[in-house]
Amino acid sequence: MVELTIDGKTVSVPDGSMVMHAAEELGIYVPHFCYHKKLSIAASCRMCLVEVEKAPKALPACATPVTQGMVVHTNSEKAKAAQQAVMEFLLINHPLDCPICDQGGECQLQDLAVGYGKTTSRYQEEKRVVVHKSTGPLVSAEEMSRCILCTRCVRFGQEVAGQMELGVLNRGEHSEIASFVGKAIESELSGNMIDICPVGALTSKPFRYSARTWELARRRSVSPHDSVGANLVVQVKGDKVMRVVPFENEEVNECWISDKDRWSYEGLNVEDRLTVPMVRDENNVWCEVSWESALKVVSDALGQIAHKDGPEYLGALATESATLEELALLKRIMTGLGSSNVDTLLRNNDNNFARAFDGVPWLGMPLADLNHVDGVVVIGSNLRKDHPLMAQRLRQAAKKGARITLIDSYGEDPLFPVAARLTVAPSALVKTLEEVTKAVAQLKAGEQADLSNPVHALAAQLINGTKPAVFVGNAAVAAPDASQIVARAQNLADAYGATLGFLTAGANTVGAYITGAVARGDGLSAKQMLENPLKAMVVLHAEPKFDIENGVAAEYSLMGTFGIALTSYKSAAANWAKVMLPIAPFTETSGTFINAEGRVQSFKGVVPGKGLSRPAWKVLRVLGNLLQFTDFDQESSEQIRDEVIGSGITSKLSNKVNVIGQEIRRYNAHDGGLERVAEVAIYRTDAVVRRAEALQETEISRTPKVRLNAVTLTNLQVAEGEKVKVKSAVGEGEFIVALDNNLADDTIRVAQGFDATAALGNAYARLTVERI
C-alpha cells in the first residue's frame, strides 16, 4: 500500500493506483471528462490537472501514479488556474448550442463550465464544424461538432462491447470521431456510448428532440428482457415513457444496460396496444365488452369445461418474463380447477427437461463472480445475443487471462479471447460432451494430451482452473435431447471440478420454477398441450407465433380451443383467441423477477395503464374470486411475493442433475436435408421488443439470410448471394444465402422470431435447400 496526502487528508491505496483513485477513496471530486472508472486511462482531456508538490507543473490526476509521501492539492490556485485554462481551450470550438441539445441539463461539460469557465471568450475565430455522419437507427452522431475527443466512446467499444466501431480520424484540429467507412453502430451495448459521452456529441436517435431532461420524472424499474434483471431508470413525461437509462448496481448490471433494455420502451406506445377487453361473438366478430362481462365469460367457460370434460382438458401457458406474482396466481387458478397443465418453457422440445434435475436451475454463482472466473465452459449459447451483459462480464474475465471454452452450434464470435472451441451440429452435442468429459478424466489421470485432436485441445484448457464453471445456454435447454445434454454437462462439471450453472432464458425463469409454473410433475408440457389440443387454454403474455416453438402450428392448435389471452397487444392474439384481456406491460404494473443468480428484485409501475388495461396479477386475482377459490384476497403484489418465497429462496436453488428416461435419438440416420441451427434474434425475443421501431430498423432485425459453410455450399451447388428456397416438413420460404465458415458441415443457420422464418416450424427441424 502507498500512503499519500490529498488536500490535507491522508489515504492509503494499492501500489500502481493513480491520484484520481486516491481522491475517489477520500470522496474528493476532481473535475474530468475522459476518465471513467470502467475504462482504461487516456489522459486526453487534461481537465483533471492537479498540483503535486515538488512537480514543476500541474499533472493529470487520472494518469499520475501515486508515490509514497506524495502531497497533492486539487483546489489550490495553481490547480484551479490549470483547470480553468483547459476549460477555456475546450470551449474554443464548442458550438454552445445548449438550448437545443438533448444533453442540456445533464451535461458534464455544462456543469464544469459553471465552475471553471468564464463568461466571455478571448477567441473570436470561426468554430470548426464536423460534417454529420449516419451511425444507424439507434445512436445519433449529428452533433459531432460538440465532441471534445475524450475517446470514451472509442474505448468503450474496444474494452467493454468488444468491437471497435468508432475511432479517431485525422490529426490535430482535424481530428474527429467516426465509424468505419460509414458503417452503422451495431453492438448490442451501443447505447452505453450515449451515457458515457460527457458533452452530448452522441445522443439517442429515438429520443432526439422529444423532451427536456428537467421535464422528466425518474422512476426505478427492472428489465424484463433477459435473465440479468438489469436495473433501470425509466424517465416519464406525463403518462408516457420517454427514455430508459441504467441505474448503477455493481452486483447486477454495473453501470451498463443492453440496447434491448434501453430502446424497447418504443413498443409500449404503439397503436397495437390492447386497451379494452374483447370477446369474439357468435359471428366470429370481435366486440368490446366490460371487464365484468369478459371475466364472467372466462370464468363460466373454465368452470363448465372443468366440470363437463374434466380438468385435464384445461391448460395454461406463460412466458418466462411473467412476474412471480402473475405465475403464482395462474398456477393457483389451474390447481383450483384441478389441472396440473401449466408451463412457461414455451420453446422447449424435451418433455423430460424440467424433470431432469432437483431444485431450480440457476447460474450457480453471483453475477459479479463472472468477472473473476478463470476457467469456463459455455454449452449451447449465443452469448452476445442471448445474454449481452453476461458476455460483457466474461469479456472482462478473459482479458485478465480466464480460459473460456465454447461448445455450441452457432460459431458466433463472442468478441473476447476464446481458449478453445468446438462447433458441432446440434445433434452432436451429447456425443461431444461425452468425449470432452472422457478426455478431461484422462488428462487428470496423467495421460498425455493429443493437442492435434480438437476435443483433447479443449479438455487441456479445463484442468488447471481454480474457479471453474460449466454453463448451459438457451439452445441446449431448448434442444430435443436437453435432459441428456444437461446430464452430460453435469458429468463434465464433476470431472472438471466445476459448478454447473444455467444462463436461463427469461427474466423470471427461476421464479417460474419456484412457483411450480413448469411441467415437472403430472402436468403436460407446453409442447404436449399444443400437440394434443385441450378444450381451453389460458395464455399469459405470450405471442404464440413467435414465442412458442413451431409458432404457426401453435396458433393453429390454439384456434381449436377456447383461447383466453392475457395480452398487451391485439395482434398477439386476434387470430386464435376467443377472449382478449388487456394487461399491463412491466412499466404499468408492480411485480417481482428472480434473475439467473437467484436475486429477488421487485418493482413498481412507473406510468398508469393504457385505457382499461390492468395488471395481470389483479386480473388473475379477480378471476380466482369469480371461480370462488380461496387464497385470492391479496391487496398488493408484495403480499403475493411474500407468500411465494417466504424467508428466501436460497434453499430452493440446486443444479444437481438426474438422468431421466431413455436415451433420446434426435434424428433418424436416414433423414435427408440439413440440420437447422436456429437462434432467437436479439430484438425478436418478446412482444414489447418486437414492436420497438428503432430496434426493428437495425441490421440484425432485417429478414435473415440462411447461413451455410463452404463445404455445404459446394455440396448444394449454391453460391453466396444467391436466392434459395428452404423447405421443412411444415412450410417453406425464400432467402438469400450467406457464407458462414464457423458452422459445422451439413448445418444451416436460420434465425427464429421473424414472419419470414415462422413457416419453417421447429428450431431443430431438417431443412432442404433448392436453387431458385
Side-chain angles (χ1 to χ4, degrees), residues 93-300:
N93 280 310
H94 197 79
L96 305 179
D97 55 352
C98 300
I100 59 113
C101 178
D102 274 344
Q103 194 92 337
E106 53 188 12
C107 174
Q108 206 171 334
L109 182 65
Q110 241 181 6
D111 294 341
L112 293 181
V114 171
Y116 301 91
K118 298 179 180 179
T119 56
T120 59
S121 173
R122 291 182 289 173
Y123 296 91
Q124 303 302 320
E125 291 79 11
E126 289 186 9
K127 294 177 181 287
R128 78 168 189 159
V129 175
V130 178
V131 178
H132 162 248
K133 299 173 184 66
S134 177
T135 52
L138 302 178
V139 179
S140 172
E142 293 192 26
E143 277 85 23
M144 289 305 288
S145 296
R146 300 171 185 160
C147 179
I148 61 170
L149 295 171
C150 70
T151 70
R152 278 186 179 184
C153 55
V154 178
R155 285 175 286 144
F156 173 84
Q158 289 178 296
E159 299 166 14
V160 180
Q163 55 191 129
M164 186 174 176
E165 296 181 292
L166 295 177
V168 183
L169 303 180
N170 306 320
R171 300 183 67 182
E173 66 175 324
H174 302 293
S175 298
E176 61 178 280
I177 302 288
S179 60
F180 180 72
V181 195
K183 288 186 67 175
I185 298 174
E186 291 288 342
S187 164
E188 57 278 358
L189 300 174
S190 67
N192 294 292
M193 294 179 181
I194 298 167
D195 295 333
I196 63 176
C197 179
V199 298
L202 298 176
T203 55
S204 169
K205 191 168 283 189
F207 175 72
R208 187 173 165 81
Y209 297 152
S210 60
R212 303 309 308 238
T213 180
W214 52 85
E215 299 175 314
L216 302 175
R218 290 159 174 78
R219 293 158 188 168
R220 287 190 58 184
S221 190
V222 177
S223 167
H225 302 305
D226 63 27
S227 59
V228 169
N231 290 194
L232 311 176
V233 175
V234 181
Q235 300 184 350
V236 176
K237 182 179 180 180
D239 293 340
K240 185 177 180 181
V241 175
M242 302 298 293
R243 185 166 62 169
V244 174
V245 296
F247 180 87
E248 184 171 351
N249 185 335
E250 199 64 25
E251 295 179 340
V252 180
N253 55 294
E254 301 176 79
C255 55
W256 318 120
I257 57 174
S258 69
D259 289 355
K260 182 163 57 171
D261 297 335
R262 184 180 302 272
W263 282 295
S264 64
Y265 73 86
E266 285 193 300
L268 302 172
N269 304 312
V270 294
E271 292 184 7
D272 191 34
R273 279 292 301 271
L274 179 67
T275 57
V276 180
M278 302 186 77
V279 174
R280 201 186 292 268
D281 66 15
E282 60 274 10
N283 297 318
N284 212 29
V285 175
W286 284 109
C287 302
E288 295 184 357
V289 297
S290 66
W291 269 107
E292 291 79 6
S293 298
L295 288 174
K296 187 175 188 309
V297 170
V298 171
S299 61
D300 287 350

Side-chain angles (χ1 to χ4, degrees), residues 218-223 232-234 236 241 323 325 584-593 601-609 615 617-618 635-639 641:
R218 290 159 174 78
R219 293 158 188 168
R220 287 190 58 184
S221 190
V222 177
S223 167
L232 311 176
V233 175
V234 181
V236 176
V241 175
T323 67
E325 295 81 359
F586 79 105
T587 51
E588 299 167 20
T589 185
S590 59
T592 301
F593 294 137
Q601 298 189 107
S602 296
F603 56 93
K604 299 282 191 182
V606 299
V607 289
W617 71 266
K618 290 186 177 182
E635 295 295 325
S636 68
S637 60
E638 290 83 359
Q639 190 177 346
R641 176 199 65 198

